[in-house]
Amino acid sequence: MKSLKSLRLHISIFGKTNVGKSSFLNKITGQSVSIVSDIKGTTTDVVEKSAELFPIGPVVFLDTAGIDDDTILSEKRIKKTLNVLNRTDVAILIITPDGLTDYDKNLIIKFNELDIPFMVVVNKSDLNTVSEQKLSEIQNYTKHIIQISAAKDSNLVDVFVSALVKLVPEDFVSTQSILGDIINPTDIVVLVTPIDKEAPKGRLILPQVQTIRDILDNKCIAVVTQVDNLQKTLESLNCTPKLVVTDSQAFKEVNEILPDNIPLTSFSILFARLKGDLNTFKKGAYAISDLKQNDKVLILESCTHHAIDDDIARVKIPKLIEKKLGYRPNFEYKTGHDFPDISEYKLIIHCGACMTNRKEVLSRILIANKNNIPITNYGIAISYCLDILERATDVFS
């Protein structure tokens, strides 16, 4: 089964222009992923490449533009480079034997601020040797250092992976499970999956597919149905299901059908746990009631998609909040990986994050917390507005 990009370890490569970032990536992946040139600023946008690294498994490399890029459009390139930090699980800082520059030291400060594990790769060792004094300075920042030649080392991959294993976060050593901690083998989990305009033709949406696979991986029984058939589905079972998981858009109808003794949650709430922090998101949902009429609410969508007439982010959530409050705050929308200036917002509502990695969501939570701005996600906000948040999260208590 091909590993989803959002669940892969994200390894970002940083460094000044022409230190050999692209050559390093090409050698590690065994492909010409990035353009190699002596011309400054050759790498402009972030280059992404999925790969398999034994014994770590599936990873995504992010090759960034030089942080000292003084070429045309340099400001935009540097901004894109720094935005990558928010979705970085492990950072690779490539330098030359000349040692750390002020640019490198400033990046290390950012790594530490965001709690990003990192290693320093001293490249071009075939041309020069790093002095003991400069090596000692690097060791003041990290003990994770390797000296290599991306151009000539035949064992570069082995050296790099051996060092990388020591940096990989525990989350990637222990496989994450969506439901594994609350279900047991042979448990029945009922999945309510409405087939509406947002469902891709001939397929289920990604969180539904991943949840079904997780249920099967945990040796449990997945029963998939739609809202109209939920009552009949429950009556057909010879035992009470361990859990019912619904699409957030059907929360109200499912909650009314489902007996109180059967736990209920949503796909979006499952992903709030998997990709973010459930307690922070719950706290953020309660801040909905504190919104004033002229307050700004930022809705973050990780992936680009064509907004439909009944879009969950642009139509349904604003309507639910308006009904809850009796008035409509100002909603604004941002799509993609770039995280905007959030200082003017009173609340952030994040998507389910099925198309991005946990590090990016946690980074956004961290930034929101530092700015004292509550943050929640789609499913939790919806369940709060419908007055069923406690029921929808009780199974995780």
Side-chain angles (χ1 to χ4, degrees):
M1 179 180 176
K2 185 176 180 181
S3 180
L4 295 163
K5 184 183 288 187
S6 61
L7 297 180
R8 290 171 176 255
L9 181 75
H10 282 53
I11 305 170
S12 298
I13 303 173
F14 299 93
K16 291 180 64 177
T17 52
N18 291 99
V19 295
K21 299 186 299 297
S22 297
S23 297
F24 174 81
L25 177 58
N26 290 344
K27 192 68 173 285
I28 293 295
T29 60
Q31 302 176 41
S32 295
V33 178
S34 298
I35 299 172
V36 178
S37 171
D38 292 330
I39 301 173
K40 240 183 161 183
T42 301
T43 301
T44 55
D45 293 328
V46 177
V47 176
E48 298 189 17
K49 174 59 185 176
S50 297
E52 295 279 338
L53 291 181
F54 180 82
I56 294 170
V59 302
V60 174
F61 284 102
L62 305 170
D63 184 17
T64 68
I67 57 173
D68 62 331
D69 186 357
D70 57 6
T71 58
I72 298 172
L73 300 179
S74 62
E75 186 176 340
K76 290 185 177 180
R77 289 170 178 165
I78 293 171
K79 183 178 180 181
K80 285 184 178 182
T81 292
L82 296 180
N83 279 337
V84 167
L85 288 168
N86 292 329
R87 51 189 175 120
T88 298
D89 296 306
V90 174
I92 309 300
L93 177 58
I94 299 184
I95 66 173
T96 67
D98 293 333
L100 294 170
T101 67
D102 289 340
Y103 294 107
D104 302 321
K105 294 173 184 177
N106 287 333
L107 262 180
I108 290 174
I109 291 173
K110 293 184 182 297
F111 297 158
N112 290 328
E113 286 177 350
L114 294 173
D115 197 24
I116 299 172
F118 70 96
M119 79 167 72
V120 173
V121 175
V122 184
N123 190 24
K124 304 186 179 182
S125 61
D126 56 314
L127 302 178
N128 197 4
T129 303
V130 63
S131 68
E132 289 297 325
Q133 179 183 354
K134 288 175 181 174
L135 181 60
S136 177
E137 182 186 23
I138 299 169
Q139 290 171 337
N140 289 332
Y141 291 93
T142 180
K143 302 302 180 185
H144 300 282
I145 308 165
I146 59 173
Q147 299 184 53
I148 58 98
S149 168
K152 295 188 177 181
D153 284 352
S154 58
N155 65 337
L156 174 58
V157 175
D158 291 339
V159 172
F160 171 66
V161 173
S162 296
L164 182 63
V165 166
K166 300 174 184 178
L167 280 176
V168 174
E170 183 62 28
D171 286 349
F172 289 90
V173 177
S174 304
T175 303
Q176 299 178 73
S177 178
I178 298 172
L179 285 169
D181 59 327
I182 61 173
I183 57 177
N184 298 304
T186 73
D187 281 345
I188 296 175
V189 180
V190 176
L191 307 173
V192 183
T193 59
I195 305 300
D196 56 17
K197 293 179 182 178
E198 292 196 6
K201 186 175 181 180
R203 296 180 290 119
L204 298 175
I205 62 173
L206 187 57
Q208 295 168 357
V209 174
Q210 290 180 255
T211 303
I212 291 171
R213 174 59 189 262
D214 189 70
I215 292 169
L216 298 177
D217 285 342
N218 283 284
K219 309 299 182 184
C220 294
I221 302 165
V223 178
V224 184
T225 188
Q226 295 193 58
V227 181
D228 294 345
N229 292 324
L230 176 58
Q231 185 63 53
K232 186 174 182 180
T233 300
L234 295 173
E235 293 170 355
S236 69
L237 298 174
N238 60 6
C239 61
T240 302
K242 179 64 177 288
L243 175 67
V244 172
V245 183
T246 180
D247 186 278
S248 296
Q249 300 184 63
F251 242 143
K252 184 176 185 295
E253 295 89 339
V254 173
N255 181 61
E256 292 172 351
I257 295 170
L258 203 64
D260 292 339
N261 65 314
I262 301 178
L264 170 66
T265 192
S266 75
F267 294 103
S268 187
I269 291 176
L270 291 180
F271 275 73
R273 277 205 328 151
L274 181 71
K275 296 293 186 73
D277 181 80
L278 184 59
N279 289 331
T280 298
F281 283 154
K282 280 186 65 175
K283 183 179 178 181
Y286 284 104
I288 289 174
S289 293
D290 298 328
L291 292 171
K292 304 296 186 295
Q293 189 161 4
N294 293 323
D295 285 345
K296 289 185 176 182
V297 178
L298 175 62
I299 296 186
L300 287 173
E301 301 169 291
S302 293
C303 60
T304 57
H305 67 280
H306 178 68
I308 62 174
D309 294 339
D310 205 22
D311 190 78
I312 185 171
R314 298 169 188 267
V315 179
K316 290 186 176 180
I317 289 177
K319 281 185 176 179
L320 283 170
I321 292 178
E322 182 177 7
K323 184 176 180 180
K324 178 79 172 177
L325 299 176
Y327 49 84
R328 185 184 180 93
N330 296 316
F331 293 94
E332 296 185 0
Y333 305 87
K334 300 291 182 182
T335 301
H337 294 298
D338 292 348
F339 197 54
D341 179 4
I342 61 172
S343 58
E344 61 183 314
Y345 299 104
K346 297 298 183 182
L347 175 67
I348 299 171
I349 305 178
H350 204 289
C351 68
C354 61
M355 296 302 292
T356 191
N357 69 333
R358 187 166 189 257
K359 180 65 180 181
E360 182 168 10
V361 179
L362 292 178
S363 295
R364 291 177 168 187
I365 290 173
L366 179 63
I367 295 170
N369 287 342
K370 284 183 177 180
N371 286 272
N372 295 315
I373 299 172
I375 182 170
T376 187
N377 94 327
Y378 288 7
I380 295 178
I382 290 172
S383 62
Y384 176 74
C385 290
L386 295 174
D387 297 320
I388 56 174
L389 176 56
E390 291 306 317
R391 182 184 186 183
T393 56
D394 185 61
V395 67
F396 308 117
S397 299

